[in-house]
Amino acid sequence: MAERMGFFTDTTVCIGCKACEVACKQWNRLLATGSGMSRIYGYSYDNTLNLDGFHWRHVKFIEQFNEERSQAQWLMMSDACKHCAQAPCIDACPEDAIIRTEYDTVVVQPELCKGYFACAGACPFGVIEGDPDIRIARKCTLCYDRLKNGLIPACAKTCPTDSIQFGPLIELIPRAKERVKQLHEQGETKAYLYGVEQDYLGGLGNFYLLIDQPEVYALPQKSQL
């Protein structure tokens, strides 16, 4: 097996441009109209709302105000499948349709999926959703087809600020820890890494640098995993 590959997402440099969402849809030929259409919901600039069978990337916009509402800030975060080391979706699938690839990533094999969608209920991050029209579970593949051809995932390739960084986790984790140290030295003492320890389902293949509690970003606490 090759080195375990994955994403380090530094939310402090995300500008909410949604280029990653567009690149993901374009490369994976995900619907932009009909059932998969993004709409204006009134939740800030979020027109995706969550991850599902048509949205494998989701940029979250979190608006925060002080009590007087005289000051505000946005937290932004590009989210996707976590490619867990101990993936509950793999264990839940009765047809062995979800596999671990040679890059230690988690991929649904559509030709084997029978549409039971037990994987959707097992995922603590709400990543997987079934396509009701074709009865197949769908989610981020970490651009498995691109990796096989020596290319990096479309979202990381497109990100203009390197908020989404791709590579071997053995290289990304030390880099992320240095980034946290840098932010602490600059006064952002709330910065920390989410998902690097093994008690996060064995370690997430898509981990994050955050500056607020996980639930603010709609992520489960460690104790809930």
Side-chain angles (χ1 to χ4, degrees):
M1 181 175 287
E3 290 182 296
R4 188 182 182 198
M5 308 298 284
F7 293 122
F8 160 45
T9 301
D10 182 349
T11 66
T12 66
V13 294
C14 178
I15 58 174
C17 67
K18 289 179 171 282
C20 55
E21 285 191 14
V22 175
C24 178
K25 273 188 172 286
Q26 183 180 46
W27 181 261
N28 293 292
R29 300 180 180 179
L30 300 174
L31 289 178
T33 58
S35 299
M37 183 170 60
S38 297
R39 299 176 175 87
I40 302 300
Y41 293 95
Y43 297 103
S44 184
Y45 288 95
D46 189 346
N47 63 346
T48 308
L49 286 189
N50 49 41
L51 297 168
D52 57 33
F54 298 98
H55 302 96
W56 297 358
R57 269 276 166 194
H58 171 217
V59 177
K60 301 177 181 180
F61 290 79
I62 302 149
E63 295 183 7
Q64 296 183 319
F65 298 89
N66 62 358
E67 290 185 7
E68 297 77 22
R69 297 185 70 84
S70 59
Q71 294 182 327
Q73 70 169 356
W74 268 333
L75 303 180
M76 299 179 217
M77 169 186 163
S78 181
D79 197 17
C81 175
K82 312 306 180 289
H83 295 276
C84 312
Q86 299 167 0
C89 58
I90 293 178
D91 296 332
C93 181
E95 297 294 332
D96 296 326
I98 306 177
I99 62 167
R100 191 171 298 282
T101 73
E102 64 268 35
Y103 304 104
D104 214 1
T105 59
V106 179
V107 171
V108 179
Q109 301 178 98
E111 68 276 10
L112 296 181
C113 180
K114 297 296 190 294
Y116 296 115
F117 303 149
C119 53
C123 177
F125 301 101
V127 165
I128 307 180
E129 183 176 283
D131 184 326
D133 296 325
I134 58 176
R135 298 291 298 172
I136 290 176
R138 301 178 356 138
K139 71 169 191 69
C140 162
T141 67
L142 215 142
C143 282
Y144 179 66
D145 53 345
R146 290 177 63 91
L147 300 189
K148 292 286 286 184
N149 287 282
L151 302 173
I152 71 172
C155 56
K157 177 72 174 178
T158 304
C159 180
T161 63
D162 288 334
S163 175
I164 304 169
Q165 299 181 35
F166 170 78
L169 291 185
I170 196 171
E171 297 177 9
L172 291 180
I173 292 175
R175 184 189 307 168
K177 290 180 177 178
E178 280 298 313
R179 173 62 176 158
V180 170
K181 180 181 177 183
Q182 178 188 47
L183 287 171
H184 286 181
E185 292 172 347
Q186 293 174 352
E188 184 53 85
T189 57
K190 294 187 293 183
Y192 68 99
L193 298 180
Y194 176 94
V196 294
E197 294 98 345
Q198 290 189 352
D199 46 3
Y200 285 88
L201 297 174
L204 305 185
N206 178 16
F207 67 95
Y208 302 84
L209 189 158
L210 307 177
I211 57 171
D212 210 324
Q213 293 302 305
E215 59 266 27
V216 172
Y217 299 86
L219 294 170
Q221 291 278 358
K222 185 188 303 184
S223 59
Q224 298 171 307
L225 299 176

